[in-house]
Amino acid sequence: MYAIEVENLTKIYGKGVTAVTAIADATFQIEPGELVAILGPSGSGKTTLLTAIGLINEPTHGKVVIDGAVVADGGWLPGLDLKRIRREKLGFIFQAHNLIPFLTALENVMIALEINHLTRTEAKKRATELLTALKLEHRLDNFPAALSGGEAQRVAIARALANRPKVILADEPTAALDTENGKNVMVLLKELAVENHSAILVVTHDHRMVEGFDRIFEVRDGVIVRETGKN
Amino acid sequence: MNLAIRDIRYHRGRFILTSIGLGLLLGVVMSMGGIYRGLFADALATLNATGADLWVVQQDTNGPFAENSRIPEDIKYRIAAVPGVAKASPLSFQTIQIDRLGKPFRFFLIGYDLHGFGGPPAIIAGRNIRQKHYEMVVAKGMKMQLGETIRLGLHDYTVVGITGKMVSSSGDPAAYVSLADAQEIQFKKDNNLIRNERARIEAKLAGIETLSPVQAKFLQQNISAITESTHTVNTVVARLEPGANLQEVQERIGRWNHFRAISDEGQKTILTKGMIEKARKQLGLFRLILLVISAVIISLIIYTSTLDKIKVIATLKLIGSQNRVIIGMILQQSLLMGVIAYGIGYALISLTYEKFPRRIVLEAFDLQVLFVIVVAICAISSFVGIRKALQVEPAEALGG
């Protein structure tokens, strides 16, 4: 079973003469444990593709299947609890880490677990384990403002992994980091993909950051123009 | 995890300052309510302390607190003789303003019959008036010491006792003297004026040719005695015997020429409806305006605070947070701000209300109602923030 299946995914903004096709007929599958990059310049449609898979942006046409469950087929399936699917099956990593500024590093990870109905004790235990695994055990009680860019992004990764999601979607996760920290984050993502058996889909415009990725989709003007990688 | 508390903890400086500002505003709202209650308490202080069932005043007047009422002192005997009346006592009231220690000193002077009632309700220091002349009991609010003297009219009066917080209907502190002293202070004419009046009466009588010199002198003496008499009072108060019919007694006195008998309830209505109604409405309106201002301020604070958290809210939505988590955060912050501001306002007013120039009466019921209103305002005000938060799209978490 694939972690992500996308079939003829199309997103059109606007109607009639003002209609703009942001992504057209994208079709691909990603297996669990696979690290995949969507590479393209600004405005190419890569974030639209990510948000459609992330259940944020409703596709105009096409099919999206997450962990074997169809979520979109010419639009969201009726009666679908998008929040629950996002909470349980998806993890998000953002360009600017998006940690909640008034929560400590530990609490930022705990909140994702508590939202998913874990008890406070369970959430604290799991969050501490995750942050320790990411070498942040000395930063548990620090607020995001006191963390370096790399540390903050690692906390964000811990939050994304908290609920052991099948799919992790990362939007320009290295954009706010220097080259060294960016590369470290990418290495970390690769390790986590293998360890957790999660599919990781990374959107980036930076070619230097996609070394070691299993597959790379290059997007131009809403169309996947090239696929490179193990297949 | 309580996000509201954690946000407040992180932004505690801003939150505390905002709460203090709002607390000051609510303190003013509380003081307005206290002033309103104080107006009532002041207006009824003399009335309640007198403990009369009936107030006999000059015909066609509303009594000594509302307008000028002058009746002869000796009517007390006739009133006391009315069936159902247990006791009648004359009272004199006047507001006096003199210069004392280089400052204007204003108080309400009550003259009472030392053998009747209507005197100081309780003595908290010193003693009551024992001598018929030149002793006085003052309210605590006059800030005078036992043994101090004050010149009123032609004589010095010595403070022999201090009573509690007695004030006039306009809030001036009260002082008590014997009726005879009060009458002298209020009605005793200046010696030059007496001489002048006597000469005028003499000249008028001399012009009447039909009067013999002996008759003229007799008339002159009698007329002067009437014009120089100080045996006038502002009201005679009466207490009824147990079981006596108030209305019957009132109607009986009302049938006499030149007098009107007002029940204690009637007197209260005159004081509360007539004298402080406008002040009450004004204070009520002012309170309402302040509450509306508080609501607008809370709404603005919650709205701007929500705008500050757009990215946080979008992130929470993106990671699958339920709406109740986000609504709870905004609502709890709003309520906490209201409750803390209320506490600050209450603490402020509790510590300062004794120092206000006018009486502030803080009633538990008023404070409870205000608390409920503040909570309701906070809940309603948070609606604008909640509405904004619910409109936030998870996609707003993406991008730089």
Side-chain angles (χ1 to χ4, degrees), chain B residues 210-232:
Chain B
T210 53
L211 288 177
S212 67
V214 175
Q215 284 175 319
K217 188 169 176 64
F218 178 77
L219 271 176
Q220 194 267 334
Q221 282 172 348
N222 276 286
I223 293 169
S224 293
I226 291 168
T227 59
E228 290 162 26
S229 168
T230 59
H231 293 289
T232 301

Side-chain angles (χ1 to χ4, degrees), chain A residues 135-199:
Chain A
K135 298 183 175 59
L136 287 166
E137 63 275 15
H138 61 297
R139 292 298 211 176
L140 298 182
D141 296 323
N142 286 112
F143 287 101
L147 303 175
S148 69
E151 286 173 332
Q153 199 57 297
R154 275 188 282 157
V155 175
I157 290 168
R159 181 177 65 187
L161 292 169
N163 289 308
R164 299 187 176 93
K166 296 290 177 191
V167 174
I168 291 174
L169 303 171
D171 180 33
E172 305 271 9
T174 59
L177 303 176
D178 56 45
T179 309
E180 194 187 334
N181 270 313
K183 282 188 173 167
N184 289 341
V185 165
M186 288 305 191
V187 169
L188 185 61
L189 285 176
K190 176 72 188 164
E191 286 169 10
L192 291 169
V194 174
E195 256 178 51
N196 296 319
H197 213 53
S198 302

Side-chain angles (χ1 to χ4, degrees), chain A residues 57-70:
Chain A
N57 204 346
E58 188 172 14
T60 313
H61 305 295
K63 195 172 176 183
V64 178
V65 182
I66 303 288
D67 192 30
V70 179

Side-chain angles (χ1 to χ4, degrees), chain B residues 69-382:
Chain B
S69 160
R70 285 187 179 186
I71 57 175
E73 183 189 343
D74 57 9
I75 197 68
K76 69 183 176 187
Y77 300 114
R78 196 173 166 197
I79 294 167
V82 172
V85 172
K87 203 170 187 183
S89 188
L91 289 175
S92 149
F93 302 105
Q94 62 180 313
T95 300
I96 291 177
Q97 184 170 324
I98 56 170
D99 280 331
R100 185 167 175 264
L101 306 173
K103 286 181 182 172
F105 187 56
R106 191 179 164 89
F107 59 96
F108 185 60
L109 190 70
I110 301 169
Y112 71 103
D113 183 347
L114 301 185
H115 304 293
F117 62 96
I123 300 295
I124 58 173
R127 58 170 174 80
N128 214 330
I129 297 170
R130 284 189 199 138
Q131 293 179 28
K132 199 174 178 183
H133 289 294
Y134 315 130
E135 287 189 347
M136 72 191 304
V137 168
V138 298
K140 198 170 64 173
M142 284 182 71
K143 297 188 173 89
M144 289 183 76
Q145 304 299 318
L146 291 174
E148 260 193 85
T149 58
I150 186 171
R151 189 157 190 88
L152 298 173
L154 303 171
H155 303 286
D156 287 332
Y157 291 83
T158 305
V159 175
V160 296
I162 292 170
T163 187
K165 200 173 173 71
M166 276 301 300
V167 288
S168 71
S169 57
S170 53
D172 297 317
Y176 291 84
V177 292
S178 70
L179 182 67
D181 282 347
Q183 287 170 323
E184 192 176 309
I185 293 163
Q186 191 173 177
F187 303 117
K188 183 82 175 176
K189 289 173 182 164
D190 177 70
N191 288 344
N192 286 331
L193 182 63
I194 290 170
R195 276 195 289 272
N196 186 271
E197 279 191 352
R198 281 180 190 168
R200 284 169 61 200
I201 292 165
E202 201 177 337
K204 286 263 183 195
L205 293 174
I208 304 171
E209 291 175 356
T210 53
L211 288 177
S212 67
V214 175
Q215 284 175 319
K217 188 169 176 64
F218 178 77
L219 271 176
Q220 194 267 334
Q221 282 172 348
N222 276 286
I223 293 169
S224 293
I226 291 168
T227 59
E228 290 162 26
S229 168
T230 59
H231 293 289
T232 301
V233 293
N234 301 116
T235 182
V236 173
V237 287
R239 279 182 188 157
L240 302 189
E241 286 169 348
N245 188 319
L246 173 72
Q247 204 179 343
E248 270 179 24
V249 176
Q250 206 177 343
E251 281 172 4
R252 189 171 184 139
I253 297 171
R255 283 197 293 272
W256 300 350
N257 285 335
H258 318 304
F259 299 101
R260 179 187 178 194
I262 305 171
S263 67
D264 197 48
E265 276 307 309
Q267 192 67 265
K268 275 180 188 163
T269 307
I270 289 167
L271 276 166
T272 53
K273 293 286 176 196
M275 294 176 68
I276 59 172
E277 184 66 6
K278 276 190 181 168
R280 186 186 73 80
K281 282 183 181 166
Q282 191 151 338
L283 285 171
L285 191 64
F286 199 37
R287 287 178 86 189
L288 186 69
I289 291 168
L290 287 174
L291 283 173
V292 170
I293 292 170
S294 305
V296 171
I297 291 173
I298 295 171
S299 301
L300 278 173
I301 291 166
I302 295 299
Y303 186 72
T304 51
S305 159
T306 307
L307 289 182
D308 286 348
K309 286 197 280 283
I310 290 292
K311 196 122 190 172
V312 169
I313 292 165
T315 305
L316 283 169
K317 284 188 171 186
L318 194 60
I319 63 175
S321 170
Q322 300 86 346
N323 279 343
R324 65 179 160 77
V325 173
I326 294 160
I327 292 169
M329 174 174 70
I330 296 168
L331 184 63
Q332 284 165 17
Q333 270 186 0
S334 182
L335 290 174
L336 262 169
M337 187 186 296
V339 169
I340 291 172
Y342 181 91
I344 291 169
Y346 178 72
L348 176 81
I349 204 72
S350 299
L351 293 170
T352 58
Y353 79 103
E354 292 274 7
K355 295 178 177 64
F356 276 63
R358 280 212 70 135
R359 190 200 303 238
I360 303 268
V361 177
L362 295 175
E363 288 209 356
F365 175 75
D366 291 352
L367 294 171
Q368 285 159 7
V369 168
L370 181 63
F371 182 77
V372 171
I373 290 172
V374 169
V375 168
I377 283 175
C378 290
I380 294 164
S381 301
S382 67

Side-chain angles (χ1 to χ4, degrees), chain A residues 56 83 87 94 98 107 114, chain B residues 1 6 318 320 323 397-398:
Chain A
I56 300 165
K83 282 183 181 172
R87 204 160 56 222
F94 309 94
N98 279 28
E107 289 167 342
E114 287 189 23
Chain B
M1 186 182 303
R6 278 165 175 77
L318 194 60
N323 279 343
L398 303 172

